[in-house]
Amino acid sequence: MMENNTQLKEMIRSMVIDILQGQKQETASSQPVKQVSRGQEPGVFDTVDEAIRAAKEAQLRFEDCTLATREKVIADIRAAMRPRVQELAQKTVEETGMGRVADKVLKLNLTLNKTPGVEDLITECETGDNGMTLYELSAYGVIGAITPSTNPAETLICNSIGMLAAGNAIFFSVHPGAKNLSRELVSELNQVIAKSIGIENLIVTLREPSIESAQEMMLHPDVSLLVVTGGPGVVKQALQSGKKVIGAGAGNPPAFVDETADIKKAAQDIVLGASLDNNILCIAEKSVVAMRQIEPQLVQEMVKVGCVLVDNQQDIQRLVDLTVLSNGTPNKQFVGKNASVILDAAHIPYNGDPRLIIMRAPKNHPFAVIEMLMPILPVITVDSFDEGLNVCLLLEAGLHHTATMHSLNMERLNLMARKMKTSIFVKNGPSYAGLGFSGEGTTTFTIATPTGESTTSARCFARRRRCCLTTGFNIR
């Protein structure tokens, strides 16, 4: 079986390379790359090869620029995008049908304000009797980046800042469900960069993205690094490309509340984190695990701050039938939809505009074990800290993504942090504190758990290189 997989991979690679070589023969290398509707959609191309060749040419110019030039580009991107935040949020909801405009505004502002740039490229140095050794971070070249439909504008802007800071050009293979917004954003970013430093095509994409074009990009010889923000399937495919991969996979974050916690604050934090943008963030609380003695108070406080408690088993089953398909996956029709939309479809009464739907459920309930990406939050009751920790480990399923805990017991907090081994662990706060929103630290929308980089930044998009000088510069 392994030999067959290897042979199939090599056959696909050979076919794609043959296609690329044929395209190159048809277009003489001395001719300039022609982009689609030049002047109207800068950076938008018809073919993968055409786009990547243009990006490669741009990157060769960009890598000769100073760090101050990179800083200028990033500053100009931030300045140009800030007035566009409300419109980008509105267009994202209109095209994808997911999330809330006000919440997307928060995420976009977070991206523009807290994504690190050139300052993240830290130089290391060693000196001694044998001279000096420098460790510096330099560009990969052209990065192939895959973006999701859940956070399309946020991921594209965040990755652009970090990847440009590291000196790269970027080919964005965007989700077809957000192609119009993403294409417009790539075009606008290109105009900002060209005006800022006079280099075109540092960021490129296709007019019509597809699975096939993403696969072609993964195997393109001029793409040096793949950065995949998406589901486990596309991450797995990228890992089979033979290239360096930064993969941001799935998560199913539990929130554990013990009897020592500030219950009112815990309830508020959980509702704020789980309901942000209708729970489509991968870091958002997907279930609550609560100690039995405080569970009634916790549920009561969650209802006070915007939740609808569904306690009729027939209603709960209708929600399951509505939102979970027969193959055990979420019904995309309801992913990222407002709680009111889901409640209306299930014919369950409610008041106002609820942020979350909650219900008591066992640890093996579909809403607990499936990453629903909907404002639906099961509450699971446990009798001890040890039981609660084990349930959290079961629900997180070894994805090593995100977990949260509400407790005033430092020993328990530390033990859970060690045992969960997640890329993000939030203590006594909403999950989004782990992204730097109402929490310290920088932000990112590419959290690389399968490949281990965790919360990515510019330094993750750069090669670490070692340079030795065998004489001098030791003054100790």
Side-chain angles (χ1 to χ4, degrees), residues 256-266 269 291 294 385 404-416 425-429:
F256 189 13
V257 186
D258 76 5
E259 77 281 8
T260 74
D262 180 335
I263 304 304
K264 184 176 181 179
K265 181 179 185 300
D269 287 343
M291 298 282 276
I294 55 89
F385 167 74
T404 65
M405 185 175 182
H406 299 266
S407 172
L408 299 181
N409 186 314
M410 189 60 67
E411 183 178 353
R412 287 180 176 178
L413 286 166
N414 288 341
L415 179 59
M416 183 169 175
F425 185 73
V426 178
K427 304 175 182 180
N428 297 319

Short mmCIF file of all heavy atoms in Angstrom, two decimals, residues 256-266 269 291 294 385 404-416 425-429:
data_model
loop_
_atom_site.label_atom_id
_atom_site.label_comp_id
_atom_site.label_asym_id
_atom_site.label_seq_id
_atom_site.Cartn_x
_atom_site.Cartn_y
_atom_site.Cartn_z
N PHE A 256 -13.42 24.19 31.09
CA PHE A 256 -13.63 23.51 32.37
C PHE A 256 -13.86 24.55 33.46
O PHE A 256 -13.09 25.50 33.60
CB PHE A 256 -12.40 22.65 32.68
CG PHE A 256 -12.55 21.73 33.86
CD1 PHE A 256 -13.79 21.47 34.44
CD2 PHE A 256 -11.45 21.10 34.41
CE1 PHE A 256 -13.94 20.62 35.52
CE2 PHE A 256 -11.56 20.25 35.49
CZ PHE A 256 -12.82 20.00 36.05
N VAL A 257 -14.94 24.37 34.24
CA VAL A 257 -15.25 25.27 35.36
C VAL A 257 -15.34 24.43 36.63
O VAL A 257 -16.18 23.52 36.73
CB VAL A 257 -16.59 26.01 35.14
CG1 VAL A 257 -16.82 27.05 36.25
CG2 VAL A 257 -16.63 26.68 33.78
N ASP A 258 -14.45 24.73 37.60
CA ASP A 258 -14.51 23.98 38.86
C ASP A 258 -15.20 24.79 39.95
O ASP A 258 -15.64 25.93 39.73
CB ASP A 258 -13.12 23.48 39.28
CG ASP A 258 -12.24 24.56 39.88
OD1 ASP A 258 -12.71 25.70 40.08
OD2 ASP A 258 -11.06 24.26 40.17
N GLU A 259 -15.30 24.18 41.14
CA GLU A 259 -16.10 24.79 42.22
C GLU A 259 -15.44 26.00 42.86
O GLU A 259 -16.08 26.75 43.61
CB GLU A 259 -16.41 23.73 43.29
CG GLU A 259 -15.27 23.39 44.24
CD GLU A 259 -14.23 22.44 43.65
OE1 GLU A 259 -14.32 22.14 42.44
OE2 GLU A 259 -13.35 21.99 44.40
N THR A 260 -14.15 26.25 42.54
CA THR A 260 -13.47 27.41 43.12
C THR A 260 -13.59 28.66 42.25
O THR A 260 -13.17 29.74 42.66
CB THR A 260 -11.97 27.10 43.34
OG1 THR A 260 -11.30 27.10 42.06
CG2 THR A 260 -11.77 25.78 44.04
N ALA A 261 -14.13 28.53 41.08
CA ALA A 261 -14.15 29.64 40.11
C ALA A 261 -15.10 30.76 40.53
O ALA A 261 -16.05 30.55 41.32
CB ALA A 261 -14.54 29.12 38.73
N ASP A 262 -14.85 31.94 39.99
CA ASP A 262 -15.82 33.04 40.06
C ASP A 262 -16.89 32.72 39.02
O ASP A 262 -16.70 32.96 37.82
CB ASP A 262 -15.11 34.36 39.75
CG ASP A 262 -16.03 35.57 39.81
OD1 ASP A 262 -17.25 35.40 39.63
OD2 ASP A 262 -15.53 36.69 39.99
N ILE A 263 -18.00 32.15 39.47
CA ILE A 263 -18.99 31.57 38.55
C ILE A 263 -19.62 32.62 37.64
O ILE A 263 -19.80 32.37 36.43
CB ILE A 263 -20.08 30.81 39.34
CG1 ILE A 263 -19.44 29.74 40.24
CG2 ILE A 263 -21.08 30.17 38.37
CD1 ILE A 263 -18.57 28.75 39.49
N LYS A 264 -19.93 33.77 38.18
CA LYS A 264 -20.53 34.82 37.36
C LYS A 264 -19.59 35.24 36.24
O LYS A 264 -19.99 35.37 35.08
CB LYS A 264 -20.90 36.01 38.23
CG LYS A 264 -21.62 37.12 37.47
CD LYS A 264 -22.07 38.24 38.42
CE LYS A 264 -22.81 39.33 37.65
NZ LYS A 264 -23.28 40.42 38.57
N LYS A 265 -18.32 35.47 36.57
CA LYS A 265 -17.34 35.87 35.56
C LYS A 265 -17.11 34.73 34.56
O LYS A 265 -16.98 34.97 33.35
CB LYS A 265 -16.02 36.26 36.21
CG LYS A 265 -14.94 36.72 35.21
CD LYS A 265 -13.66 37.11 35.91
CE LYS A 265 -12.64 37.67 34.92
NZ LYS A 265 -12.27 36.72 33.86
N ALA A 266 -17.04 33.50 35.06
CA ALA A 266 -16.82 32.35 34.17
C ALA A 266 -17.95 32.26 33.14
O ALA A 266 -17.70 32.03 31.95
CB ALA A 266 -16.73 31.06 34.98
N ASP A 269 -17.51 35.08 30.58
CA ASP A 269 -16.37 34.83 29.70
C ASP A 269 -16.67 33.73 28.68
O ASP A 269 -16.33 33.85 27.50
CB ASP A 269 -15.14 34.42 30.53
CG ASP A 269 -14.53 35.58 31.29
OD1 ASP A 269 -14.83 36.74 30.95
OD2 ASP A 269 -13.74 35.33 32.22
N MET A 291 -18.28 21.29 37.25
CA MET A 291 -18.44 20.51 38.47
C MET A 291 -19.90 20.56 38.92
O MET A 291 -20.57 21.60 38.82
CB MET A 291 -17.53 21.06 39.57
CG MET A 291 -16.05 20.99 39.21
SD MET A 291 -15.34 19.35 39.39
CE MET A 291 -14.95 19.37 41.14
N ILE A 294 -21.58 23.41 41.16
CA ILE A 294 -21.73 24.78 40.66
C ILE A 294 -22.46 24.84 39.32
O ILE A 294 -22.73 25.93 38.81
CB ILE A 294 -20.36 25.49 40.55
CG1 ILE A 294 -19.36 24.69 39.68
CG2 ILE A 294 -19.78 25.73 41.93
CD1 ILE A 294 -19.40 25.00 38.21
N PHE A 385 -12.55 16.90 39.94
CA PHE A 385 -11.59 17.53 39.04
C PHE A 385 -10.97 16.50 38.11
O PHE A 385 -10.83 16.75 36.90
CB PHE A 385 -10.49 18.24 39.84
CG PHE A 385 -9.32 18.64 38.99
CD1 PHE A 385 -9.41 19.72 38.12
CD2 PHE A 385 -8.13 17.92 39.03
CE1 PHE A 385 -8.34 20.10 37.32
CE2 PHE A 385 -7.05 18.28 38.24
CZ PHE A 385 -7.16 19.37 37.38
N THR A 404 -9.72 26.03 27.71
CA THR A 404 -9.83 27.08 28.71
C THR A 404 -10.23 26.47 30.05
O THR A 404 -10.84 25.40 30.09
CB THR A 404 -10.86 28.16 28.32
OG1 THR A 404 -12.16 27.56 28.29
CG2 THR A 404 -10.56 28.74 26.96
N MET A 405 -9.87 27.16 31.13
CA MET A 405 -10.26 26.70 32.46
C MET A 405 -10.56 27.89 33.36
O MET A 405 -9.86 28.90 33.32
CB MET A 405 -9.17 25.84 33.10
CG MET A 405 -9.57 25.25 34.43
SD MET A 405 -8.34 24.13 35.13
CE MET A 405 -9.20 23.61 36.63
N HIS A 406 -11.60 27.73 34.18
CA HIS A 406 -11.98 28.75 35.15
C HIS A 406 -11.86 28.15 36.54
O HIS A 406 -12.61 27.24 36.91
CB HIS A 406 -13.41 29.23 34.87
CG HIS A 406 -13.56 29.84 33.51
ND1 HIS A 406 -13.46 31.19 33.28
CD2 HIS A 406 -13.76 29.26 32.28
CE1 HIS A 406 -13.61 31.44 31.99
NE2 HIS A 406 -13.80 30.29 31.37
N SER A 407 -10.90 28.66 37.29
CA SER A 407 -10.60 28.12 38.62
C SER A 407 -9.71 29.10 39.36
O SER A 407 -8.98 29.88 38.75
CB SER A 407 -9.88 26.76 38.48
OG SER A 407 -9.41 26.30 39.73
N LEU A 408 -9.77 29.06 40.70
CA LEU A 408 -8.84 29.83 41.52
C LEU A 408 -7.81 28.93 42.17
O LEU A 408 -7.02 29.39 43.01
CB LEU A 408 -9.62 30.61 42.60
CG LEU A 408 -10.64 31.63 42.08
CD1 LEU A 408 -11.33 32.35 43.22
CD2 LEU A 408 -9.97 32.64 41.14
N ASN A 409 -7.80 27.66 41.77
CA ASN A 409 -6.83 26.69 42.29
C ASN A 409 -5.65 26.61 41.34
O ASN A 409 -5.74 26.02 40.26
CB ASN A 409 -7.51 25.32 42.43
CG ASN A 409 -6.63 24.28 43.10
OD1 ASN A 409 -5.46 24.14 42.78
ND2 ASN A 409 -7.20 23.56 44.05
N MET A 410 -4.53 27.23 41.74
CA MET A 410 -3.38 27.32 40.85
C MET A 410 -2.82 25.95 40.49
O MET A 410 -2.39 25.71 39.35
CB MET A 410 -2.29 28.18 41.49
CG MET A 410 -1.14 28.50 40.55
SD MET A 410 -1.68 29.43 39.08
CE MET A 410 -2.19 30.98 39.85
N GLU A 411 -2.83 25.03 41.41
CA GLU A 411 -2.31 23.69 41.14
C GLU A 411 -3.11 23.00 40.04
O GLU A 411 -2.56 22.38 39.14
CB GLU A 411 -2.32 22.86 42.42
CG GLU A 411 -1.73 21.47 42.25
CD GLU A 411 -1.71 20.67 43.54
OE1 GLU A 411 -2.04 21.25 44.59
OE2 GLU A 411 -1.39 19.47 43.49
N ARG A 412 -4.45 23.14 40.11
CA ARG A 412 -5.30 22.55 39.09
C ARG A 412 -5.09 23.22 37.73
O ARG A 412 -5.04 22.56 36.69
CB ARG A 412 -6.77 22.66 39.50
CG ARG A 412 -7.19 21.73 40.61
CD ARG A 412 -8.66 21.95 40.93
NE ARG A 412 -9.15 21.01 41.94
CZ ARG A 412 -10.40 21.03 42.42
NH1 ARG A 412 -11.27 21.94 41.97
NH2 ARG A 412 -10.78 20.15 43.34
N LEU A 413 -4.99 24.55 37.74
CA LEU A 413 -4.76 25.28 36.49
C LEU A 413 -3.48 24.81 35.81
O LEU A 413 -3.44 24.57 34.60
CB LEU A 413 -4.69 26.78 36.76
CG LEU A 413 -6.02 27.49 37.07
CD1 LEU A 413 -5.75 28.88 37.65
CD2 LEU A 413 -6.89 27.59 35.84
N ASN A 414 -2.43 24.68 36.59
CA ASN A 414 -1.15 24.25 36.02
C ASN A 414 -1.20 22.81 35.54
O ASN A 414 -0.63 22.47 34.49
CB ASN A 414 -0.03 24.43 37.05
CG ASN A 414 0.31 25.89 37.29
OD1 ASN A 414 -0.01 26.74 36.47
ND2 ASN A 414 0.94 26.18 38.41
N LEU A 415 -1.87 21.96 36.31
CA LEU A 415 -1.95 20.55 35.91
C LEU A 415 -2.73 20.41 34.61
O LEU A 415 -2.32 19.67 33.70
CB LEU A 415 -2.62 19.73 37.02
CG LEU A 415 -2.79 18.24 36.72
CD1 LEU A 415 -1.43 17.57 36.46
CD2 LEU A 415 -3.52 17.54 37.86
N MET A 416 -3.84 21.10 34.48
CA MET A 416 -4.62 21.01 33.24
C MET A 416 -3.82 21.54 32.06
O MET A 416 -3.86 20.97 30.96
CB MET A 416 -5.95 21.75 33.37
CG MET A 416 -6.82 21.60 32.11
SD MET A 416 -8.50 22.18 32.32
CE MET A 416 -9.13 21.99 30.64
N PHE A 425 -3.84 27.93 25.82
CA PHE A 425 -4.53 27.58 27.06
C PHE A 425 -4.86 28.88 27.77
O PHE A 425 -3.98 29.66 28.11
CB PHE A 425 -3.67 26.67 27.95
CG PHE A 425 -4.40 26.18 29.18
CD1 PHE A 425 -5.38 25.22 29.07
CD2 PHE A 425 -4.11 26.71 30.43
CE1 PHE A 425 -6.06 24.76 30.20
CE2 PHE A 425 -4.78 26.27 31.56
CZ PHE A 425 -5.76 25.29 31.45
N VAL A 426 -6.15 29.13 27.98
CA VAL A 426 -6.60 30.38 28.60
C VAL A 426 -7.13 30.09 30.00
O VAL A 426 -7.98 29.21 30.18
CB VAL A 426 -7.70 31.05 27.76
CG1 VAL A 426 -8.21 32.31 28.45
CG2 VAL A 426 -7.18 31.37 26.36
N LYS A 427 -6.62 30.84 30.98
CA LYS A 427 -7.05 30.69 32.37
C LYS A 427 -7.92 31.88 32.75
O LYS A 427 -7.50 33.03 32.64
CB LYS A 427 -5.84 30.62 33.30
CG LYS A 427 -4.84 29.51 32.95
CD LYS A 427 -3.60 29.58 33.82
CE LYS A 427 -2.59 28.51 33.43
NZ LYS A 427 -1.37 28.55 34.26
N ASN A 428 -9.13 31.60 33.20
CA ASN A 428 -10.02 32.61 33.75
C ASN A 428 -10.29 33.77 32.78
O ASN A 428 -10.20 34.95 33.15
CB ASN A 428 -9.47 33.15 35.08
CG ASN A 428 -9.40 32.07 36.14
OD1 ASN A 428 -10.30 31.25 36.27
ND2 ASN A 428 -8.31 32.04 36.89
N GLY A 429 -10.59 33.42 31.55
CA GLY A 429 -10.91 34.43 30.55
C GLY A 429 -11.62 33.80 29.37
O GLY A 429 -11.70 32.57 29.25
#
